């Protein structure tokens, strides 16, 4: 009996060990296409309208589409209006008002497709015959509050390559118009997983989003909004390149020293005398002054009030023990005699302990 059980267990192990391993499905369905208005069936007496559309089925490499998600644009952003397993869906709304919609397909593994193109349809009560008009007395209109139901115009000319100062995706567009006034622009970025997500809101006609991958393109659309919450049609979808932006300039520290340089020459010789002033607010405990001769023939032969050295055209003067400290506002006098090869121009730049000095 034990031998038989061992044989059965071995056979099962051999079978299960030879089963192929299947990789998880990570490929999204194709993007839904062919969106068209599909008016709902007749609904006489209905108070609300209904904005509905049809589209062509999406496809998936691993099997059938599990569902479609229908999103509608509102003042607060795109909202998931409904899900369906078919290729027709809609959302309730105010009769006669336009609603912008898009669709995403979802497969059995939960992978979402890229969002479809936008479509704007008018909410209606469905397909029904128009009644024959009959004359009736003209009623006296009673005053009623004016309600703003006019959306702003669609933002136009969305364009890349117009904002350079900051790192990220920056772009501009032409201002929308409205019968009362545009109060803000909502900017949406296409997400591979979540469709159109709000990247931000601005009152300007440009936008910059940071925190993106430099060198990658991102798709954006812009929606204008008025004070009553009416929203425009989304602008044309525009790819925008995320750029590094201009480098941040390093501020030049203020100078805390000033040097004057005077020289006279004769034949092949010269004599130079200088002043070094502390223009800062703290004492200098020890100092090293550096400058470069403009001409290769200039040379220090003997100096005073400092320890002088030269390497090529670069000259260094270091303090002596008795003048190591320079108090704020104090001046050190120093100089040297030297030689030149026919030209004796003045140096144009000096540094004290590595910081640039003003030249008096």
């Amino acid at each position: 009996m034990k031998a038989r059980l061992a044989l059965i267990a071995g056979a099962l192990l051999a079978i299960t060990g030879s089963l192929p391993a299947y990789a998880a499905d990570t490929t999204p369905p194709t993007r839904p296409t062919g969106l068209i208005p599909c008016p709902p069936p007749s609904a006489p007496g209905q108070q609300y309208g209904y904005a509905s559309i049809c589209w062509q089925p999406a496809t998936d490499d691993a099997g059938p589409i599990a569902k479609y998600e229908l999103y509608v644009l509102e003042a607060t952003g795109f909202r998931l209006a409904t899900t369906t397993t078919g290729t027709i869906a809609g959302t309730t709304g105010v009769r006669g008002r336009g609603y912008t919609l898009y669709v995403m397909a979802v497969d059995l593994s939960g992978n979402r497709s890229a969002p479809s193109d936008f479509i704007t349809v008018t909410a209606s009560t469905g397909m029904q015959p128009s009644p024959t008009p009959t004359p009736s007395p003209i009623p006296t209109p009673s005053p009623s509050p004016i309600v703003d139901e006019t959306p702003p115009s669609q933002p136009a000319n969305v364009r890349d390559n117009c904002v350079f100062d900051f790192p990220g995706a920056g772009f501009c567009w032409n201002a929308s118009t409205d019968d009362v006034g545009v109060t803000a622009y909502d900017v949406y970025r296409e997400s591979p997983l979540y469709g159109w997500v709000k990247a931000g809101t601005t009152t300007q006609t440009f936008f910059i989003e940071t925190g993106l991958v430099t060198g990658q393109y991102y798709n954006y659309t812009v929606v204008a909004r008025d004070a009553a919450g009416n929203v425009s049609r989304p602008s044309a979808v525009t790819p925008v390149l995320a750029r590094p932006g201009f480098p941040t300039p390093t501020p030049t520290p203020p100078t805390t020293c000033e040097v004057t340089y005077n020289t006279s020459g004769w034949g092949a010789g010269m004599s130079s005398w200088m002043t070094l002033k502390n223009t800062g607010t703290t004492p200098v405990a020890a100092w090293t002054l550096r400058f470069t001769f403009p001409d290769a023939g200039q040379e220090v032969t003997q100096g005073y009030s400092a320890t002088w050295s030269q390497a090529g055209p670069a000259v260094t003067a270091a303090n002596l023990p008795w003048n190591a400290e320079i108090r704020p506002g104090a001046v050190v006098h120093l100089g040297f005699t030297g030689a030149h090869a026919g030209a004796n121009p003045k140096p144009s730049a000096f540094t004290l302990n590595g910081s640039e000095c003003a030249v008096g």
Side-chain angles (χ1 to χ4, degrees), residues 88-290:
I88 179 171
T91 181
T92 57
V94 178
R95 283 183 296 177
R97 179 177 294 183
Y99 291 87
T100 297
L101 310 168
Y102 74 85
V103 181
M104 296 179 71
V106 184
D107 67 16
L108 294 173
S109 297
N111 300 306
R112 284 181 168 81
S113 72
S116 70
D117 292 338
F118 296 121
I119 183 173
T120 301
V121 295
T122 302
S124 67
T125 56
M127 299 176 292
Q128 52 186 313
S130 300
T132 303
T134 56
S136 60
I138 300 176
T140 302
S142 56
S144 59
I146 298 175
V147 178
D148 179 17
E149 295 184 348
T150 304
S153 64
Q154 182 183 34
N157 194 25
V158 181
R159 55 198 181 277
D160 188 9
N161 206 26
C162 62
V163 183
F164 307 96
D165 294 346
F166 302 98
F171 52 100
C172 312
W173 58 89
N174 293 355
S176 296
T177 58
D178 186 68
D179 60 334
V180 176
V182 174
T183 58
Y185 295 93
D186 295 320
V187 178
Y188 296 90
R189 172 174 37 82
E190 184 179 352
S191 164
L193 296 178
Y194 305 108
W196 289 98
V197 297
K198 184 179 287 188
T201 299
T202 179
T203 58
Q204 308 296 322
T205 54
F206 66 90
F207 183 78
I208 301 168
E209 185 179 15
T210 59
L212 304 175
V213 179
T214 299
Q216 182 171 320
Y217 278 93
Y218 295 85
N219 288 334
Y220 288 90
T221 187
V222 182
V223 176
R225 177 163 44 87
D226 65 17
N230 299 305
V231 290
S232 72
R233 295 189 179 198
S235 70
V237 176
T238 303
V240 178
L241 179 65
R243 293 179 168 82
F246 288 155
T248 303
T250 302
T252 302
T255 58
T256 57
C257 54
E258 182 181 70
V259 174
T260 63
Y261 182 96
N262 299 281
T263 186
S264 63
W266 62 91
M270 65 172 171
S271 176
S272 300
W273 57 101
M274 306 165 60
T275 63
L276 170 60
K277 182 178 181 180
N278 180 0
T279 59
T281 58
T282 58
V284 176
W287 51 269
T288 300
L289 180 70
R290 289 186 170 86

